[in-house]
Amino acid sequence: MGLVLLIIIWLITLVSTYFFVAKWWWLPVGASAAAAGIDHHFTVSFILMGPVFVAAQLALGWFAWKYREGGTSSKGAEYSHGNATLEVLWTVLTVFLFVGMNLMSRSIWASERFDSAKPGAVQVEVTGMQFAWYFRYPGPDGKFGLTKPELEDASAGGEAALGLDAKDPASKDDVVSGVMVVPVNREVEVILRAHDVIHSFFVPQMRFKQDAVPGLAIHMHFTPIQTGEYEIACAELCGLGHYKMHGILKVVSQEEFDKWLAAREAEKQ
Amino acid sequence: MQAAHAHEAPQGFIRKWIFSLDHKVIGLQYYFLALAAVFVGMFLSLLMRIHLIWPTATLPFFGEIKPETYLSLLTMHGTIMVFFVLTTAPQGGFGNYFLPIQIGAPDMAFPVLNMLSFWTTFLGFIVLLAAFFVTGGAPLHGWTGYAPLSALQSAGPGEGLGADLWITSIAIFCIGALMGALNFITTTLDMRAKGMTMMRMPLTVWAWFITAILGLLAFGVLLSAGILLLMDRNLGTSFFVPLVTVNGQLTGHKGGSPLLWQHLFWFFGHPEVYIAILPAMGLCSQLLSVFSRKPIFGYKAMVYAMLSIGFLGFMVWGHHMFMSGMSPYTAFAFSIMTMGIGVPSAIKTFNWLGTLWRGRIRFHSPMLFAIGFVSLFVTGGISGPFLAQPVLDIYLHETYFVIAHFHLIMGVASIFGIFAATYYWFPKMFGKMMNEPLAKLHFWLTFIGAYAIFMPMHYYGMAAGLRRYSQSTEVAYILKLLPLQRFISIAAFITIASQFIFLFNLFWSMWKGKKASDNPWEATTLEWTTATPPPHDNFSGKTPVVHNGPYEYSVPGAPRDFVMQSDPEIEPAH
Amino acid sequence: MASFTTTTTVDDPRISLGGGGILPPVLGGRGDDGSGSPNYTTRLRRARLGLIVAVTPILMLFVSFTSAYIVRQGLPTLDPQTNLLVKDWIPVKLPALLLVNTVVLLLSSLGMELARRQFRGEAALVSGGTASEVSSTEQNKMPWLGMTLVLGLLFLFGQWTAWKQLGASGFYVSSTASSSFVYLLTGTHAVHLMGGVLALLVASIAALFRRASARRSIVIDVTAWYWHFMAALWVYILCLLEFAR
């Protein structure tokens, strides 16, 4: 039975480790400026924790077999209540490992979350509602117009869904889109809002996720560095349509972005 | 006041089995409640796994499972498993049965309160199940019940009466759990037999004691959150709901904070996961020692580790909220504390390995589950430091990586503790042995099955596969991951089916099992000194006096390889 | 060779919760008279320990409410009309009646303490305690228990009236965030006090019809400490609502 335990535990450990190392199912290729640092820290964490996982499981299987009753290497059990030096040693090592690993990531977290978006970033207001995403651009005046809950009409889509107040002069040049378009290599500042329940804006390739909370306007930023189309998936349970509340993020060249935005502005006239 | 044991054992079916004051009967009542609950919870997960890979399938009796139904299945699955299985069987079940005996007491401190605590818990379960049968059905907001989704009757199907019943059931459960905690703490502090110092208590007793303290401090906060939520839902208050519109309609709420719910819930929720796992940790220590014929490696360290886990457990709740809109500075503070709480768990793992080292291991079924527990705890534990780092949590939050983590380290590990406890203490409770070949078969199928189900979920999460998605059909990158879901579902079907081996073994052995001796495992703690099953007052009037620690195995020079706690004091030969 | 020595000195497990505290000393070991039935001192100690434990989650409930109160007070919310974060806390003017109710509750606490000592004397007689624990015959005739019960009910009635007054001045449970907390805190306190009232009611009725018993004395002792806790909690709630507006 000890041998079977060893074989099964070792097999499970080695097979599962293989799939991690071979990256059969893995992070998609990163497309934001932060991705390299985050992916690097993933690697560091796997390199530090992986051997611990493997060693602990292999030791477990090994001991189960080696110290089986009736086996050649076990006479009587060793009467020992422990070893204080070992306790201290592995406690200190574990503290260093865990806390050290976390501290290594501090600078990335700081640059992602402590610092605000730089001036000149492209501003996009991202609003989640059951069950769609809307994206609003402030237009040439750089100001977002007021929205009023009583003006909301989700069935009409676009500006009506957000309850945009046409009487506010700042609203005149706001562009509302069902697709999020941003220029490449420029910082994007997202202002996250929600109308009804908590939603969450998640783009895996951008390594970007943030909850959109009703009653708050949360400012975050990321910088796309690769053009393309990326899926936005809602990452906080928001009701029966949670699984189909997805959007598209299009990262295009600066010229294409300007053209697109200008065209949308023109439509409003 | 409630000294039921000056009296004789009760007569009559009702006093003996329904409203019994005997902690052993109450323990069994809790156990069977949890057993019923786990099969309900498992059935719900079966329906979930079927829907995930065959979303349009029409099932007999249920018809087609709609996306909102899927969400109510997962809500109830989580709630039933966390509360009525993991917080009920290890503590209310085995703790009630064996804590008094292991400390040499004739019963719990307050037997009437004990009886009430079980029936309160039972009532909570009935109220919860009722949610399935009311208009709108069971709620769909997840076991975590985030507001405003859980606070607005109009936010989704099941968020009407179903959600009110859900909250009420949890509130009732809180009260039952608090009554139980009261008993556990008072009994452990005040009713230990002569010689049973705190540092001679078995680690199972320490675990039940610390778990009760955690429950005492945490369930009051959950109760407060539930009261506030019921008020928001039914009295028009706005504790958790800001100005929102649902389907374009204003709701009349304003100014509330969804994050307040999260803070209150997780202040409870994090200690809750330690409540779920500590008893299994205590039992694992016990079993590794018994079946390696060796003292536990580092008894004091094990006690301090459990105390640290309990204490630190109240300081890390924010790690569930890294993406919530909470201040990033606060988030980082929580993450450092969270890395800290990984340390005592690691110490315990090293000590378990140290117990096996140079032992003389016997592979009876309780031991198999104990070794399996260590393996699952390691696997589930290793994914913790990933999630604890906010930078990585940006990506991993709300993916299947999280599901893998908590199922392995809390769900499956704790269930292995329950299985181990059953196989271990069955002879003492029922006077019969369980069938060993069936037990071993159950172990292998479940151990391999659990890994087959939950290991692939890590990969699904690394590929950003999101949780609480009724279907993967709408988001292209998630649809690509469907083969993983298929593998997981097949593994789940087989593993779920294997649990009927256990169910059969359990009831068959009660009836037809081989007769058990008083101490079939040759263990040292006090429950093995008394008759099988124990008499009404546990020790037939002969209160034990304790002279030894709980893990005196293979003492050099002793006549046999174990010394009971109540045996004369032993001095090891050097 | 191992030596088996039967030890004569064993650690006597006892809980230590500070010297001279409210728990009576362990007299002569665990108080087990050998028949399996714990004696009065043990039962009292156990009951008081149980009460300390029971009071803890009630404290946590109110700590939780307090933290929600403080958070909510300072919390700005997004006003979609202006796209700005605004604070919308409107302090509640508490009815003066609450002060009267406070006096009533504190008086009831006094009565409760006198009742507790009175019944302790009776229990000492019943279980053969020392003469010094027997209270004077004068005190035995005063219905402190009944008085406490009446004052407790008066407090609850006063709270009910205060809620009516609040409502009349426009502050219902859902009117403002601040009023929600007023009803929440005072209401939850009242519910818990009712538990104490029920215990007193049962003990009072029993005292009228049955002779003294050690068990009843323990019930009243524990209820008394609970009552004092409820009174202190009320003072805390009042101060929180009045000064942390």
Side-chain angles (χ1 to χ4, degrees), chain A residues 47-59:
Chain A
I47 288 177
L48 289 174
M49 299 305 297
V52 174
F53 168 68
V54 172
Q57 300 284 8
L58 295 190

PDB file of all heavy atoms in Angstrom, chain A residues 47-59:
ATOM      1  N   ILE A  47       8.533  29.499 -10.156  1.00  0.00           N
ATOM      2  CA  ILE A  47       9.860  28.939  -9.887  1.00  0.00           C
ATOM      3  C   ILE A  47      10.085  28.763  -8.393  1.00  0.00           C
ATOM      4  O   ILE A  47      10.726  27.811  -7.947  1.00  0.00           O
ATOM      5  CB  ILE A  47      10.946  29.848 -10.505  1.00  0.00           C
ATOM      6  CG1 ILE A  47      10.911  29.703 -12.027  1.00  0.00           C
ATOM      7  CG2 ILE A  47      12.325  29.497  -9.962  1.00  0.00           C
ATOM      8  CD1 ILE A  47      11.891  30.606 -12.738  1.00  0.00           C
ATOM      9  N   LEU A  48       9.545  29.689  -7.583  1.00  0.00           N
ATOM     10  CA  LEU A  48       9.737  29.570  -6.143  1.00  0.00           C
ATOM     11  C   LEU A  48       8.809  28.540  -5.517  1.00  0.00           C
ATOM     12  O   LEU A  48       9.206  27.755  -4.654  1.00  0.00           O
ATOM     13  CB  LEU A  48       9.500  30.946  -5.484  1.00  0.00           C
ATOM     14  CG  LEU A  48      10.590  31.994  -5.750  1.00  0.00           C
ATOM     15  CD1 LEU A  48      10.195  33.349  -5.190  1.00  0.00           C
ATOM     16  CD2 LEU A  48      11.913  31.541  -5.157  1.00  0.00           C
ATOM     17  N   MET A  49       7.546  28.533  -5.954  1.00  0.00           N
ATOM     18  CA  MET A  49       6.572  27.643  -5.306  1.00  0.00           C
ATOM     19  C   MET A  49       6.560  26.253  -5.910  1.00  0.00           C
ATOM     20  O   MET A  49       6.239  25.274  -5.230  1.00  0.00           O
ATOM     21  CB  MET A  49       5.159  28.242  -5.407  1.00  0.00           C
ATOM     22  CG  MET A  49       4.991  29.597  -4.735  1.00  0.00           C
ATOM     23  SD  MET A  49       5.477  29.599  -2.999  1.00  0.00           S
ATOM     24  CE  MET A  49       4.330  28.457  -2.294  1.00  0.00           C
ATOM     25  N   GLY A  50       6.897  26.155  -7.189  1.00  0.00           N
ATOM     26  CA  GLY A  50       6.859  24.855  -7.857  1.00  0.00           C
ATOM     27  C   GLY A  50       7.694  23.791  -7.171  1.00  0.00           C
ATOM     28  O   GLY A  50       7.189  22.711  -6.830  1.00  0.00           O
ATOM     29  N   PRO A  51       8.977  24.081  -6.946  1.00  0.00           N
ATOM     30  CA  PRO A  51       9.805  23.078  -6.258  1.00  0.00           C
ATOM     31  C   PRO A  51       9.290  22.733  -4.864  1.00  0.00           C
ATOM     32  O   PRO A  51       9.435  21.583  -4.426  1.00  0.00           O
ATOM     33  CB  PRO A  51      11.169  23.769  -6.173  1.00  0.00           C
ATOM     34  CG  PRO A  51      11.183  24.706  -7.319  1.00  0.00           C
ATOM     35  CD  PRO A  51       9.782  25.193  -7.458  1.00  0.00           C
ATOM     36  N   VAL A  52       8.692  23.703  -4.172  1.00  0.00           N
ATOM     37  CA  VAL A  52       8.134  23.400  -2.852  1.00  0.00           C
ATOM     38  C   VAL A  52       7.016  22.375  -2.995  1.00  0.00           C
ATOM     39  O   VAL A  52       6.949  21.385  -2.260  1.00  0.00           O
ATOM     40  CB  VAL A  52       7.582  24.690  -2.184  1.00  0.00           C
ATOM     41  CG1 VAL A  52       6.878  24.356  -0.889  1.00  0.00           C
ATOM     42  CG2 VAL A  52       8.704  25.680  -1.936  1.00  0.00           C
ATOM     43  N   PHE A  53       6.145  22.621  -3.977  1.00  0.00           N
ATOM     44  CA  PHE A  53       5.046  21.685  -4.239  1.00  0.00           C
ATOM     45  C   PHE A  53       5.590  20.294  -4.532  1.00  0.00           C
ATOM     46  O   PHE A  53       5.188  19.304  -3.917  1.00  0.00           O
ATOM     47  CB  PHE A  53       4.219  22.211  -5.423  1.00  0.00           C
ATOM     48  CG  PHE A  53       3.238  21.228  -5.995  1.00  0.00           C
ATOM     49  CD1 PHE A  53       2.131  20.821  -5.273  1.00  0.00           C
ATOM     50  CD2 PHE A  53       3.422  20.708  -7.273  1.00  0.00           C
ATOM     51  CE1 PHE A  53       1.222  19.910  -5.808  1.00  0.00           C
ATOM     52  CE2 PHE A  53       2.509  19.810  -7.812  1.00  0.00           C
ATOM     53  CZ  PHE A  53       1.413  19.408  -7.078  1.00  0.00           C
ATOM     54  N   VAL A  54       6.518  20.244  -5.479  1.00  0.00           N
ATOM     55  CA  VAL A  54       7.046  18.949  -5.900  1.00  0.00           C
ATOM     56  C   VAL A  54       7.750  18.250  -4.747  1.00  0.00           C
ATOM     57  O   VAL A  54       7.512  17.070  -4.466  1.00  0.00           O
ATOM     58  CB  VAL A  54       7.994  19.124  -7.109  1.00  0.00           C
ATOM     59  CG1 VAL A  54       8.696  17.821  -7.419  1.00  0.00           C
ATOM     60  CG2 VAL A  54       7.214  19.601  -8.311  1.00  0.00           C
ATOM     61  N   ALA A  55       8.595  18.999  -4.037  1.00  0.00           N
ATOM     62  CA  ALA A  55       9.362  18.388  -2.946  1.00  0.00           C
ATOM     63  C   ALA A  55       8.441  17.844  -1.865  1.00  0.00           C
ATOM     64  O   ALA A  55       8.645  16.727  -1.367  1.00  0.00           O
ATOM     65  CB  ALA A  55      10.329  19.411  -2.366  1.00  0.00           C
ATOM     66  N   ALA A  56       7.420  18.629  -1.485  1.00  0.00           N
ATOM     67  CA  ALA A  56       6.525  18.185  -0.411  1.00  0.00           C
ATOM     68  C   ALA A  56       5.778  16.925  -0.813  1.00  0.00           C
ATOM     69  O   ALA A  56       5.680  15.969  -0.039  1.00  0.00           O
ATOM     70  CB  ALA A  56       5.530  19.294  -0.054  1.00  0.00           C
ATOM     71  N   GLN A  57       5.264  16.899  -2.042  1.00  0.00           N
ATOM     72  CA  GLN A  57       4.505  15.723  -2.476  1.00  0.00           C
ATOM     73  C   GLN A  57       5.421  14.508  -2.618  1.00  0.00           C
ATOM     74  O   GLN A  57       5.073  13.396  -2.191  1.00  0.00           O
ATOM     75  CB  GLN A  57       3.794  16.003  -3.816  1.00  0.00           C
ATOM     76  CG  GLN A  57       2.809  17.145  -3.795  1.00  0.00           C
ATOM     77  CD  GLN A  57       1.487  16.797  -3.117  1.00  0.00           C
ATOM     78  OE1 GLN A  57       1.317  15.737  -2.523  1.00  0.00           O
ATOM     79  NE2 GLN A  57       0.525  17.700  -3.221  1.00  0.00           N
ATOM     80  N   LEU A  58       6.604  14.709  -3.202  1.00  0.00           N
ATOM     81  CA  LEU A  58       7.516  13.575  -3.364  1.00  0.00           C
ATOM     82  C   LEU A  58       7.947  13.033  -2.002  1.00  0.00           C
ATOM     83  O   LEU A  58       8.026  11.815  -1.795  1.00  0.00           O
ATOM     84  CB  LEU A  58       8.736  13.975  -4.207  1.00  0.00           C
ATOM     85  CG  LEU A  58       8.472  14.353  -5.669  1.00  0.00           C
ATOM     86  CD1 LEU A  58       9.782  14.493  -6.436  1.00  0.00           C
ATOM     87  CD2 LEU A  58       7.587  13.350  -6.367  1.00  0.00           C
ATOM     88  N   ALA A  59       8.186  13.953  -1.060  1.00  0.00           N
ATOM     89  CA  ALA A  59       8.564  13.522   0.278  1.00  0.00           C
ATOM     90  C   ALA A  59       7.436  12.723   0.924  1.00  0.00           C
ATOM     91  O   ALA A  59       7.664  11.670   1.541  1.00  0.00           O
ATOM     92  CB  ALA A  59       8.904  14.737   1.153  1.00  0.00           C
TER      93      ALA A  59
END
